[in-house]
Structures are given as structure tokens and as C-alpha cells.
Amino acid sequence: ASSLPNTLSPFLDHVSAASISWTMEIFQWKEDEEDDCEDADNGGQKCTKKYSYSRSWVEAPVDSASFAHPDGHDNCAAEFPSNLESSGSVEAPPQSVVMSEHGTPSGGFVLDSGLVSSLPSVDLGNRLKSSAPSSGGDPTWDGSGQLTAQMLHGNGEYLLTTTGFPQIGDLRIQFAGQLAQEATVCAVQQSTEGASSEYTFEALPPRRFGW
């Protein structure tokens, strides 16, 4: 977790995972368009465009200037922060992911890249700290510029730039990590001619278990 960007790392400083990823959303007005059609006297149909507007979390800023009816639906040119990608991930170095009985590297099994890639993806929202250490002052996110850790608040599911109902331009960030609390190791002890000891451990050929 210490490899995360400085804006995010204070909230997950004690999480051990093979990888940690984040995705960011922004609270925006969005426009939905549909055709409202009725039968015409000539046997065809007469259609007009109808537009509806709602506020929701979206994956990218929305240009409200292009709306059919922009009045009252202004997204205030809100943007993602200039110092943090809207999505990304950090990964543990090769041969550094270890499964052990007590959760420490000592006496454990180093996982190769194939085993690491098979670890499940887990939502990390419930591991987020509620706030970052204070840096003095009370900074708030205003819809553009740089985002600091002190502008974010954990609510047990996301990091958000608000503690109440979101306003246009607010951000929320979700985290996922590749990790497992338990694992089963399958191995076969085999006799190997010429080995320094009577038995050695070799790679287990693919086979079914439990059938």
C-alpha cells in the first residue's frame, strides 16, 4: 500500500496485497434523450426529442455546455484532479508475495506470477481509514486542481470529497486488492534419482483434486 500515490496511501497503509487498484468517479448532471412519437395523419409517425436530466456518479466529466437544455444543469466545468489518474494500480515486485501460516515472510511459500494472478480481487472499502493525518487548515475540493489526502474522507466503502450528500464535482474513489486470507497447498513428495537426499519436492503435474 505504501506504493500508492501520496493522495491515497494514508488510507490503506496497513493493507498487504499482491496488487491494489483504484477507480474514480465524479458526480455530474447527465442528459438522457428519447424519441416521443405519435401517429401522423399521413400514416407515418411524428417524433420529437425529449430530454431528461439527473445527477449521478459517472466515470468521466460531462460537458454540460452541449446539453439541449443546459440551464439548471451546469456541471461547472468540474474535472478530475490534475495530480491523480482517475484509475490505476500498483503491484508487488516479482517474487515478493508470500503465503505463510502466520502472515509473515518467514517460513512461507513465495508465489510465482501465475499463482499471484489467480488471487481473487477483493473490495477494500471496509479497510479504509476514515481520514488522513491533518496538515493544518481545512482544505476542500472545489472541482478542479490538485487533490490532497486531507480533502478525502473514508465511509467504509469509498473515499469521498464530501461527508454529506454529494454536490456537482464531488469525487469518490473505490479500491480493490488481490489477496487471500487462506490458501491450500498441494504437493507430492517424490523420489528423484541422483538427488542429494532420498526425496525431493518437484512441480506437481496438473491433475484433478476432490473428484
Side-chain angles (χ1 to χ4, degrees), residues 41-91:
D41 294 339
N42 60 5
Q45 284 193 320
K46 180 181 179 181
C47 298
T48 56
K49 298 288 186 183
K50 292 185 68 176
Y51 300 90
S52 60
Y53 298 87
S54 60
R55 293 178 295 177
S56 65
W57 294 104
V58 294
E59 296 178 351
V62 177
D63 179 14
S64 57
S66 65
F67 288 170
H69 305 290
D71 290 347
H73 311 113
D74 188 4
N75 281 327
C76 305
E79 301 175 334
F80 283 139
S82 59
N83 63 324
L84 182 64
E85 295 292 331
S86 60
S87 64
S89 65
V90 294
E91 298 181 358

Side-chain angles (χ1 to χ4, degrees), residues 179-192:
L179 56 91
Q181 299 299 322
E182 297 180 351
T184 299
V185 177
C186 296
V188 172
Q189 193 178 45
Q190 303 183 49
S191 176
T192 303

Side-chain angles (χ1 to χ4, degrees), residues 35-180:
D35 289 324
D36 183 20
C37 299
E38 58 183 19
D39 293 335
D41 294 339
N42 60 5
Q45 284 193 320
K46 180 181 179 181
C47 298
T48 56
K49 298 288 186 183
K50 292 185 68 176
Y51 300 90
S52 60
Y53 298 87
S54 60
R55 293 178 295 177
S56 65
W57 294 104
V58 294
E59 296 178 351
V62 177
D63 179 14
S64 57
S66 65
F67 288 170
H69 305 290
D71 290 347
H73 311 113
D74 188 4
N75 281 327
C76 305
E79 301 175 334
F80 283 139
S82 59
N83 63 324
L84 182 64
E85 295 292 331
S86 60
S87 64
S89 65
V90 294
E91 298 181 358
Q95 306 298 313
S96 68
V97 180
V98 177
M99 285 286 188
S100 66
E101 181 179 0
H102 303 292
T104 61
S106 177
F109 295 89
V110 175
L111 305 187
D112 62 22
S113 58
L115 288 173
V116 168
S117 66
S118 68
L119 289 172
S121 180
V122 178
D123 187 290
L124 299 179
N126 61 356
R127 299 171 184 243
L128 292 171
K129 289 187 173 182
S130 59
S131 61
S134 175
S135 61
D138 189 19
T140 57
W141 171 250
D142 62 4
S144 64
Q146 295 198 349
L147 180 70
T148 67
Q150 289 70 33
M151 296 176 183
L152 293 166
H153 312 275
N155 72 346
E157 187 174 6
Y158 300 95
L159 289 183
L160 298 111
T161 54
T162 179
T163 56
F165 189 82
Q167 303 298 312
I168 296 301
D170 272 324
L171 306 172
R172 75 176 184 183
I173 305 171
Q174 187 174 29
F175 293 86
Q178 277 190 290
L179 56 91

